[in-house]
Amino acid sequence: VGMATNIPPHNLGEVIDGCVAYIDNPDIDVDGLMKHIKGPDFPTGATILGNSGIKKAYETGRGSITIRSKATIEEKNGKQYIIVDEVPYGVNTLELKNKVAELVHNKTIEGIADYHSDLKDGIKITITLKKDANAQVVLNKLYKHTSFQTTYGIIFLMLDQGVPKTLGLKEIISKYIDYQKEVIIRRTKFDLD
């Protein structure tokens, strides 16, 4: 039997605030928890489009979210540039560059004159456009055909007393709090013996 879990990284401060909110009110619902735990916090940045995928994952234990690169369109010295400084989590920038080169070669995307990536201080990808190119159209095609926009599947599959279960956010926090209580009780009993 093969099973996979895919839990995105979260902000630890937000998760602790969510646990405290659950301790204060065990009847809190997912919407109440989402006031504290806003959603995944990816180390590479990028933007999560919409909340429906996050909410579904937090309610049912399964969901998917769309992550889009943070890109700006700039104009300098009569040339247009697309500057990307955040990419979706898990995207390999070398593979991304190769994919863009392939799409330009196949004429799937037209209007790109040059592609340069600088990875010294974080990620900075500079795409130089041809004079007649529409920057927004090129950017939309990059989102459509490359990993500048990806989908991330969330599966909160975990072991609950040795049994694999897909749990929602409230159940996960509940099980975690119960586990912490058990640890503290055992540690206290051990210290007394």
Side-chain angles (χ1 to χ4, degrees):
V1 174
M3 294 185 190
T5 186
N6 201 20
I7 302 173
H10 283 74
N11 180 295
L12 183 58
E14 290 179 0
V15 173
I16 290 169
D17 291 345
C19 289
V20 170
Y22 175 81
I23 291 169
D24 291 342
N25 177 16
D27 295 327
I28 194 168
D29 61 357
V30 172
D31 289 327
L33 287 172
M34 285 184 72
K35 290 178 183 168
H36 303 282
I37 305 172
K38 313 251 185 286
D41 185 17
F42 295 106
T44 56
T47 304
I48 298 172
L49 303 180
N51 275 346
S52 62
I54 298 170
K55 186 171 181 183
K56 183 179 178 195
Y58 285 173
E59 287 174 343
T60 65
R62 289 180 177 269
S64 67
I65 55 175
T66 302
I67 310 168
R68 179 180 278 185
S69 298
K70 183 179 164 204
T72 55
I73 298 169
E74 296 179 6
E75 190 168 335
K76 291 180 189 172
N77 303 327
K79 288 187 175 182
Q80 283 191 318
Y81 301 91
I82 296 174
I83 310 294
V84 178
D85 51 11
E86 294 178 7
V87 295
Y89 183 63
V91 170
N92 182 320
T93 54
L94 181 60
E95 290 176 11
L96 186 59
K97 184 176 184 176
N98 293 338
K99 180 66 175 176
V100 171
E102 177 188 321
L103 292 169
V104 169
H105 179 74
N106 294 342
K107 299 194 187 305
T108 304
I109 298 178
E110 294 182 0
I112 295 177
D114 190 28
Y115 182 109
H116 176 73
S117 57
D118 182 12
L119 305 175
K120 290 178 194 161
D121 301 319
I123 294 170
K124 184 175 180 185
I125 298 169
T126 305
I127 299 170
T128 308
L129 301 178
K130 294 179 180 175
K131 285 187 179 184
D132 60 339
N134 181 329
Q136 193 60 53
V137 169
V138 172
L139 183 57
N140 288 342
K141 286 187 176 184
L142 286 170
Y143 286 145
K144 181 179 179 182
H145 296 289
T146 68
S147 299
F148 280 115
Q149 179 172 307
T150 61
T151 302
Y152 186 95
I154 299 172
I155 306 170
F156 292 132
L157 179 71
M158 50 205 65
L159 291 175
D160 179 18
Q161 297 180 355
V163 178
K165 291 183 182 174
T166 303
L167 303 174
L169 182 63
K170 183 177 175 181
E171 293 85 11
I172 293 170
I173 290 174
S174 170
K175 302 283 184 189
Y176 174 73
I177 303 279
D178 291 345
Y179 170 74
Q180 288 300 324
K181 286 179 188 174
E182 184 181 328
V183 167
I184 291 168
I185 290 167
R186 285 184 180 180
R187 184 176 61 216
T188 307
K189 283 182 180 177
F190 179 76
D191 286 346
L192 294 174
D193 289 344

